[in-house]
């Protein structure tokens, strides 16, 4: 099921990038030529505003495509993808730190994508709900085991209550941990933040 989800994400990302991205780029080229041909200043302003909106749409399209299937992961691996994900959040104002220790770039691409998805889900939860002032993402390899840690200093949550509610986010994370033959440990308490550690075999 997880393989199928990732294949579908990759297909949608390609369709967005190649299809909609191409249409927007063509539209921008056509409108750009209209600035010089415009007969009034108001028309020029309208065209420039339209070009600006297209640029915003292209940026948003790229952001969505990266979230669907980050090309940087496919080309440069998990460590660089996590670093770039954290850098992009930091540019948007999130106080986040990414640390990578002793990671070797020979984990299968499928597993790299799954670990990346887990990190995404955990960080998104921290940003949306934790009200934290700092988030830490740590990827570490020790011999034949890999660990991913995501910590925040936010308000925490009731783990048992979340399990009873069968939160889709938590279920997705747990399912991905099973796919990796790994274990998931969550430690959270009120006003003490949340620490989540994924451990899995490297092979």
């Amino acid at each position: 099921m997880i393989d199928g989800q990732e294949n579908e994400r990759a297909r949608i990302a390609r369709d967005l990038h190649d299809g909609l991205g191409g249409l927007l780029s063509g539209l921008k080229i056509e409108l750009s030529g209209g600035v010089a041909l415009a007969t009034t200043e108001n028309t020029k302003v309208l065209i420039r505003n339209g070009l600006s909106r297209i640029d915003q749409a292209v940026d948003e399209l790229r952001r969505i495509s990266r979230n669907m299937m980050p090309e940087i992961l496919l080309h440069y691996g998990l460590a660089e993808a996590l670093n770039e994900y954290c850098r992009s959040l930091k540019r948007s104002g999130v106080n986040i730190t990414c640390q990578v220790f002793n990671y070797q770039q020979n984990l299968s691409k499928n597993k790299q994508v799954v670990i990346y998805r887990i990190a995404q889900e955990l960080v998104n939860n921290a940003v949306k709900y934790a009200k934290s002032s700092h988030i830490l993402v740590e990827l570490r390899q020790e011999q034949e085991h890999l660990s991913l840690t995501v910590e925040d200093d936010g308000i925490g949550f009731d783990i048992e209550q979340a399990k009873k509610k069968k939160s889709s986010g938590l279920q997705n994370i747990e399912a991905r941990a099973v796919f990796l033959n790994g274990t998931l440990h969550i430690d959270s308490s009120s006003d003490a933040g949340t620490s989540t550690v994924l451990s899995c075999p490297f092979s």
Side-chain angles (χ1 to χ4, degrees):
M1 182 188 71
I2 290 173
D3 275 340
Q5 287 177 344
E6 295 305 334
N7 288 336
E8 185 65 6
R9 283 174 182 263
R11 184 191 66 77
I12 294 171
R14 284 195 303 271
D15 288 349
L16 285 172
H17 183 272
D18 298 340
L20 188 54
L23 286 172
L24 288 172
S25 296
L27 181 58
K28 182 178 179 180
I29 291 170
E30 290 178 16
L31 281 178
S32 295
V35 176
L37 299 174
T39 56
T40 67
E41 189 58 33
N42 283 344
T43 304
K44 290 180 180 180
V45 169
L46 286 173
I47 294 174
R48 290 193 185 102
N49 287 343
L51 289 170
S52 177
R53 293 291 180 88
I54 291 174
D55 285 338
Q56 291 172 12
V58 169
D59 288 342
E60 181 67 7
L61 177 63
R62 286 174 179 161
R63 185 190 67 79
I64 293 170
S65 294
R66 282 197 301 268
N67 284 339
M68 294 294 291
M69 181 54 64
E71 285 191 25
I72 193 169
L73 188 151
L74 300 178
H75 293 298
Y76 300 105
L78 177 62
E80 187 55 36
L82 284 176
N83 272 308
E84 175 54 31
Y85 175 63
C86 292
R87 282 194 294 265
S88 69
L89 286 174
K90 186 170 285 189
R91 287 193 293 269
S92 68
V94 177
N95 185 13
I96 186 168
T97 302
C98 184
Q99 298 176 341
V100 178
F101 299 103
N102 198 38
Y103 173 69
Q104 307 299 315
Q105 299 280 24
N106 55 356
L107 190 66
S108 72
K109 277 291 188 288
N110 278 355
K111 287 188 176 182
Q112 290 185 60
V113 170
V114 171
I115 292 169
Y116 181 84
R117 296 294 182 214
I118 291 173
Q120 266 188 317
E121 185 75 35
L122 291 172
V123 171
N124 284 342
N125 287 344
V127 171
K128 287 181 181 178
Y129 308 118
K131 300 180 181 178
S132 59
S133 60
H134 182 253
I135 301 168
L136 171 67
V137 177
E138 180 188 288
L139 181 69
R140 181 186 296 269
Q141 183 182 345
E142 293 179 349
Q143 296 178 344
E144 295 303 312
H145 279 79
L146 192 70
S147 66
L148 170 73
T149 302
V150 177
E151 294 181 349
D152 68 69
D153 59 357
I155 60 175
F157 69 100
D158 188 321
I159 299 169
E160 293 305 317
Q161 192 67 25
K163 287 182 178 179
K164 286 178 182 177
K165 288 182 178 179
K166 296 184 178 179
S167 160
S168 60
L170 184 57
Q171 286 183 322
N172 284 339
I173 294 169
E174 290 175 338
R176 288 188 165 96
V178 170
F179 176 83
L180 295 166
N181 294 319
T183 59
L184 194 69
H185 178 74
I186 305 174
D187 184 17
S188 184
S189 57
S190 180
D191 298 321
T194 302
S195 174
T196 305
V197 181
L198 165 74
S199 298
C200 64
F202 199 75
S203 56

